[in-house]
Amino acid sequence: KDTYNINDQTKNIILGISASGPTKRWDVENYIKLASQLNQHKKCKFFIAAGKNDLEIIDKIKSSKISSCCITMEKLSISNILPIIKNCNLYIGNDTGFMHMSASLGIKSIGIFMDSPAYSYSSYSKYIVPIVPKGETVKSTTHDTLGKDNISLEEVFISAKKYLD
């Protein structure tokens, strides 16, 4: 908590911007807009969950208007990341290992499922709140849904606000 100044003065949110491929990755611009909206709602600090293979999208966040309230974790080990996650209020992001780690640590996790089976990867945990593309259901999404352009920023924002209030 001390190293990253994690305290009750801000809402501490993990943004899971990484993914195993481009069809499973919600656009980084959506995360920037979401973080900006959330910061207007409540004072937030964002921990960017991404790895060394995600430097291009990490750089977009570092050069955006939300950069001053972001800490990137691409150079940290899992043993350094787990305590950060455990002390956060919420995970918002793609269906990735970071989402599953967050849920396993008891952190409410808004999982964005655009190209993976949401039912299979979310129903095992009461901590995972799945968001699926417009026109899909939790049970209809598959590895071939290809719905990254059909995830509503407004829906993700409303869900996040619910868990931050």
Side-chain angles (χ1 to χ4, degrees):
K1 284 183 165 183
D2 291 339
T3 302
Y4 296 101
N5 195 25
I6 298 174
N7 58 56
D8 294 336
Q9 305 304 311
T10 61
K11 293 295 182 178
N12 299 287
I13 301 169
I14 302 144
L15 290 182
I17 65 169
S18 188
S20 61
T23 63
K24 290 183 68 176
R25 187 178 293 124
W26 202 39
D27 193 281
V28 69
E29 295 301 326
N30 290 326
Y31 285 108
I32 293 168
K33 289 175 190 172
L34 175 66
S36 182
Q37 288 179 344
L38 289 171
N39 229 355
Q40 289 174 10
H41 178 68
K42 298 228 182 227
K43 186 176 178 187
C44 298
K45 181 181 298 178
F46 300 97
F47 291 89
I48 309 304
K52 294 176 184 173
N53 294 336
D54 301 307
L55 294 179
E56 185 177 320
I57 55 177
I58 292 168
D59 286 344
K60 286 183 181 180
I61 287 182
K62 286 180 177 179
S63 64
S64 75
K65 62 184 175 183
I66 63 162
S67 65
S68 64
C69 56
C70 293
I71 296 171
T72 63
M73 301 190 293
E74 79 272 12
K75 295 180 181 174
L76 300 180
S77 67
I78 293 296
S79 62
N80 288 327
I81 290 171
L82 290 174
I84 294 170
I85 292 172
K86 182 63 180 164
N87 286 289
C88 283
N89 304 98
L90 183 65
Y91 169 93
I92 306 167
N94 303 323
D95 166 29
T96 68
F98 289 110
M99 178 192 73
H100 298 287
M101 286 188 285
S102 298
S104 71
L105 291 169
I107 304 303
K108 192 56 86 171
S109 302
I110 299 171
I112 302 172
F113 291 86
M114 57 211 102
D115 197 31
S116 59
Y119 183 76
S120 297
Y121 297 155
S122 69
S123 65
Y124 74 91
S125 175
K126 68 181 182 180
Y127 293 104
I128 299 175
V129 177
I131 293 184
V132 299
K134 184 178 179 178
E136 297 290 341
T137 67
V138 170
K139 290 190 174 183
S140 72
T141 56
T142 69
H143 284 293
D144 295 316
T145 301
L146 301 175
K148 76 179 200 168
D149 295 327
N150 295 318
I151 300 288
S152 161
L153 176 63
E154 185 66 19
E155 182 180 1
V156 178
F157 177 66
I158 289 169
S159 186
K161 274 183 21 178
K162 174 180 172 183
Y163 296 107
L164 293 175
D165 289 340

